[in-house]
Amino acid sequence: MAMLPKPVARLGVKVLKSEPLRSSANTMSYYDADTYATDDALKVGRMHCLRDGWEDALVSFMLSGGFSPSQKVAQIEAPSLVLWGRQDGILEKEFAQRFLDTLPDASLQWIEECGHVPHLEQPEETARVISEFLRSDKFGGVASPSSSASGDTGMLAGLEPDTVKIVGGIAGALAAAVAAATLGGAEALFGQIF
C-alpha cells in the first residue's frame, strides 16, 4: 500500500465508502440478509466513512504501509474466545483456524445460521456463548452457572438471563471496538490480521 500514488489511494478510499460497495458488504454480512441487511444497517455501516477527516486519515494510513498486527496476536496471553458466524460472507473460515493456531489459549465457537455480526444476527446465542466462556474454569473468581445458587459473588453470579444477553451483546460490540482501536482500526484489523 505504501507504494500507491496518492491519487490512486484517494480513489480507493472513495470506492470503500461508496454506497454500492457498502451495500454489497451489508448484504454479505448477514446469513439472513432479507431481515438484517436493511437501509438502516447500510447507513450505520457507512457512518464512519462519512465523518470529517476519514478520507484523509485512511489515505495517510494506506500510504504509511498500514498496520499488520499478526505478530501481536500470538502475544495475547488471556484466554480468548474466537466467536465466528458459520456463514460469514466477509471473512473466510480459514481465518478462524488461524486465530486458533496463533493465540496461545483460544477456543473456537461457531454460531450457526449467522454471518459476520453474531451479536446482531444471533444475539441470544452470542450472549449465551460469551457467558459460558466467562463462567468457564479459565477465569478464577468468575461464577459458574451452579455457583450463583450457592451464594458465589463472582462477576456474573445472580444476573438475570436478559442481563447476561445484554452484557453479551455489549461485550461483542466492545470487544470489536477495543480490538479495532488497539490494532489500528477496523480496516487494519480485518484486512491485515494475517
Side-chain angles (χ1 to χ4, degrees):
M1 284 190 297
M3 303 301 286
L4 285 176
K6 192 170 187 173
V8 173
R10 190 160 297 282
L11 180 63
V13 168
K14 289 196 181 301
V15 169
L16 278 176
K17 79 176 197 177
S18 72
E19 201 161 321
L21 185 121
R22 290 291 168 174
S23 179
S24 176
N26 186 36
T27 301
M28 291 170 57
S29 293
Y30 300 101
Y31 168 74
D32 183 1
D34 291 338
T35 300
Y36 293 100
T38 63
D39 289 340
D40 285 343
L42 174 61
K43 289 175 188 172
V44 170
R46 289 186 73 221
M47 194 177 299
H48 69 285
C49 303
L50 304 175
R51 299 207 23 107
D52 288 341
W54 182 80
E55 279 189 37
D56 291 336
L58 194 54
V59 167
S60 292
F61 173 77
M62 290 170 69
L63 296 177
S64 75
F67 180 69
S68 180
S70 61
Q71 293 177 349
K72 293 186 178 209
V73 171
Q75 297 172 10
I76 297 172
E77 295 176 6
S80 303
L81 173 63
V82 178
L83 189 67
W84 214 275
R86 178 80 70 184
Q87 290 78 23
D88 189 335
I90 301 292
L91 295 175
E92 297 175 6
K93 291 181 180 89
E94 292 77 27
F95 279 106
Q97 186 59 49
R98 291 180 79 178
F99 275 109
L100 285 180
D101 293 343
T102 306
L103 288 163
D105 185 9
S107 56
L108 171 64
Q109 181 67 50
W110 294 103
I111 303 294
E112 301 299 333
E113 297 183 1
C114 187
H116 189 65
V117 283
H119 60 286
L120 297 178
E121 196 165 18
Q122 297 289 350
E124 290 183 11
E125 178 66 4
T126 299
R128 184 190 66 73
V129 168
I130 292 171
S131 177
E132 283 181 6
F133 178 72
L134 292 174
R135 290 178 170 162
S136 73
D137 60 358
K138 291 181 178 267
F139 301 96
V142 177
S144 67
S146 61
S147 63
S148 50
S150 66
D152 187 27
T153 57
M155 185 168 70
L156 298 177
L159 292 180
E160 295 297 320
D162 286 342
T163 304
V164 174
K165 291 174 191 171
I166 291 167
V167 169
I170 292 169
L174 182 59
V178 168
T182 302
L183 299 175
E187 275 81 9
L189 176 63
F190 297 124
Q192 297 185 20
I193 284 257
F194 296 102

